[in-house]
Amino acid sequence: MEFVTALVQLQEESSCPICLDYLKDPVTINCGHNFCRSCISRTWKGLGAPVHCPVCRVCFRDRNLRSNSQLSHLTEIAKLLQIRRSKRKRQEESSMCEKHNQLLTLFCGKDLEVLCTRCSFSIQHQKHYICPIKKAASHHRKILECTIKPLKDNMEQVEKVLTLQASKSVELRKQVKYRREEIHSEFEQLRLFLQNQQEDILRQMEDEEMEILAKLNENFVTFTDHVSSLKHLLREVEVSVIHLQKPFAPTSILESIRNLLKYLQ
């Protein structure tokens, strides 16, 4: 109890009278009271001289804030003591039997439960192997120690498998990448081949087209000349027919008929 009382007093001395929390960057004012630097600065903000102490109400003109490093260290110690006390209290509470409010000092080997003395005499644990917690801990520690090597061996085997799988995965990615590049190259070559074939066929078709067009043009000229000749001959025939219808055909017309008939044959 003396420790608890001393800890409470230390916490009170390490607390700021303004925010009621542990002092942060503690400073001492002229009257000797201590505050967080930010708390007293905020309290005095906007106030003119003189200012007063929030605790004892003593007034003074100067806002003299003296850093108190020793009190800062004591505050940290108070925090640590409070944390350790809370932790110890939680441990003590967790080691108490919730049903009988007695210390858990025994262990049931069958149900694998920690027990208090009254729990060990209950019907639930009759004929069970009951031993002190320290003895049970030593026994189970040895059991667990025996499992360490098999677990390590198993872990090493699994790590080897993982390493092998990772290596296979890397190799597979390399093979897929190589095959992808190979297929891309093959298709690129095929594309170039088809493109060349297309260009050759189109060029050949263009040459054939030009050749056919040239022949058609030549035939067109030939037939045009022939039609022109036929038109000229038709006109001469028509003129000769007209002259031959007259009672006395000119001798020159009769002479030209021989040439026309020869041409028509």
Side-chain angles (χ1 to χ4, degrees), residues 226-241:
H226 186 62
V227 169
S228 179
S229 300
L230 290 176
K231 287 182 179 179
H232 178 70
L233 180 60
L234 178 61
R235 284 195 298 272
E236 290 184 357
V237 171
E238 288 176 347
V239 171
S240 298
V241 170

Side-chain angles (χ1 to χ4, degrees), residues 107-111 115 119-131:
F107 184 80
C108 176
K110 180 176 178 60
D111 296 330
L115 309 171
C119 287
S120 65
F121 292 107
S122 65
I123 298 175
Q124 181 182 355
H125 297 287
Q126 283 184 358
K127 299 182 181 180
H128 291 180
Y129 175 71
I130 307 296
C131 67

